[in-house]
Amino acid sequence: MKPAVAVASSILNATALLPGRAAGRGAFSLFHMPMVRSRLRTAERKVFEKARVDRIRLGSGRHAVAYHWGGGDRPALLAHGWQSRASRLACFVPELLERGHSVIAFDAPAHGEADGRSTTILDYRDIVLALDDRYGTFDCLIAHSLGALGSFFGLRHGARARRIVTIGGVCDFDYLVDEFCAEVGAGDRLRSRLRAEVRTRLFPGLPADETPFSLTDMPAHVSAPLLVVHDEDDTRIRVAQGRRLAAAFGDRARLVVTRGLGHRRVLGDADVLRTVLDFVDNGPDPADGTNPRATAAG
């Protein structure tokens, strides 16, 4: 644990013994603040120098940075994870362009080239909704880590995608809270205060005995087929999260479990790239029967 985080943890755990919301508010702020900001790598620069770039203003008042390549009428959305950035998905851009897609990616607030110190799942939802409004239904959506949870939150609120790929994806919002609490050494009382603050700030009106948000609730709302890629040795988002997500979608999901790649290296693996692109090209159509390629050809 970093010294600054250790100090904050000690103060918040002590404050949690007192009445009031101060400890919960403090933990909530820390929960949504990335500890590091990933830099653009040399290997990613060539791809991102060719992107058209603009900003998206979100409901929170924060801004995201959006990247767009190509002019195809089949948009493909790339969604990055926590403490990551759009450029970590650069390997997909030329391959999708070659297949006739236009490609869209974004840096969420406090990530990559976007300003700010924090972001929430509400920001992810607003980004996905704004890009859906701007470019139309995503022909495919490829999301890593927290990007999976945030993208599905956008789909739950009206965005549309015809095929979805998650890589090392988070399935349950509660998982994020548990991992954060473990990382900062939050005691039971502070954990409870944080959960209460999450409900108040992000999910107002949710009954106290209900889970805030889980992708296991999504099959009734999202008709797209799903490819779930997760590494057995992912120590950041455990493979059980991928298994839960795939199980929830039943025969509409295909689960691919890799080994030895962890949470981040899985993104650049050549076999994973081929598997994802094969699904994008040849995967099943949505359960609602929509097939944009057939429509375009007809």
Side-chain angles (χ1 to χ4, degrees):
M1 187 186 304
K2 294 182 177 180
V5 176
V7 170
S9 174
S10 296
I11 294 172
L12 290 172
N13 275 305
T15 307
L17 299 175
L18 305 173
R21 291 175 58 187
R25 286 172 173 161
F28 184 85
S29 296
L30 200 57
F31 178 52
H32 290 104
M33 186 183 299
M35 294 295 113
V36 298
R37 184 182 287 260
S38 300
R39 296 178 182 276
L40 182 69
R41 295 171 178 161
T42 301
E44 301 162 350
R45 188 176 302 279
K46 186 176 179 181
V47 172
F48 273 71
E49 284 178 346
K50 296 178 181 177
R52 299 188 292 279
V53 184
D54 61 9
R55 300 208 312 165
I56 303 171
R57 181 175 172 81
L58 308 175
S60 61
R62 303 183 185 100
H63 290 83
V65 175
Y67 305 90
H68 186 213
W69 298 262
D73 59 358
R74 294 187 292 125
L77 177 63
L78 307 176
H80 71 78
W82 186 249
Q83 297 185 161
S84 185
R85 56 184 296 149
S87 61
R88 293 297 181 267
L89 295 147
C91 62
F92 291 102
V93 175
E95 299 288 351
L96 290 166
L97 289 173
E98 192 173 295
R99 285 161 170 78
H101 293 276
S102 59
V103 184
I104 309 145
F106 63 85
D107 286 332
H111 292 76
E113 303 304 318
D115 53 17
R117 293 292 310 279
S118 65
T119 193
T120 72
I121 195 168
L122 305 186
D123 290 334
Y124 268 78
R125 177 199 63 190
D126 290 351
I127 294 167
V128 172
L129 287 171
L131 294 173
D132 173 271
D133 185 59
R134 183 180 299 180
Y135 298 106
T137 301
F138 306 120
D139 195 63
C140 64
L141 192 166
I142 302 171
H144 178 235
S145 191
L146 175 65
L149 194 72
S151 294
F152 267 96
F153 203 35
L155 296 174
R156 178 69 181 86
H157 285 81
R160 300 147 295 166
R162 296 188 175 101
R163 287 177 185 150
I164 302 171
V165 179
T166 67
I167 304 173
V170 178
C171 181
D172 305 301
F173 188 89
D174 266 0
Y175 182 88
L176 298 176
V177 177
D178 290 340
E179 287 296 300
F180 169 80
C181 288
E183 193 172 343
V184 303
D188 290 343
R189 192 177 290 265
L190 179 57
R191 184 186 303 252
S192 175
R193 296 288 175 86
L194 173 58
R195 288 188 185 283
E197 200 67 25
V198 164
R199 289 176 181 278
T200 300
R201 305 274 288 274
L202 300 183
F203 308 102
L206 184 73
D209 59 345
E210 289 189 16
T211 301
F213 176 56
S214 172
L215 301 193
T216 59
D217 301 328
M218 291 296 108
H221 308 286
V222 176
S223 62
L226 177 64
L227 172 66
V228 179
V229 180
H230 217 114
D231 194 80
E232 187 80 42
D233 301 308
D234 189 333
T235 57
R236 184 67 180 171
I237 307 298
R238 300 289 180 181
V239 69
Q241 286 285 287
R243 296 188 192 282
R244 267 177 61 77
L245 173 56
F249 274 75
D251 60 7
R252 279 199 280 145
R254 176 189 171 200
L255 174 64
V256 174
V257 177
T258 59
R259 289 179 175 78
L261 298 174
H263 187 61
R264 301 194 184 280
R265 206 150 48 86
V266 67
L267 277 178
D269 181 74
D271 287 338
V272 169
L273 179 62
R274 278 192 292 271
T275 300
V276 171
L277 293 172
D278 180 67
F279 179 80
V280 169
D281 288 341
N282 305 308
D285 293 325
D288 63 6
T290 57
N291 183 341
R293 293 165 190 174
T295 302

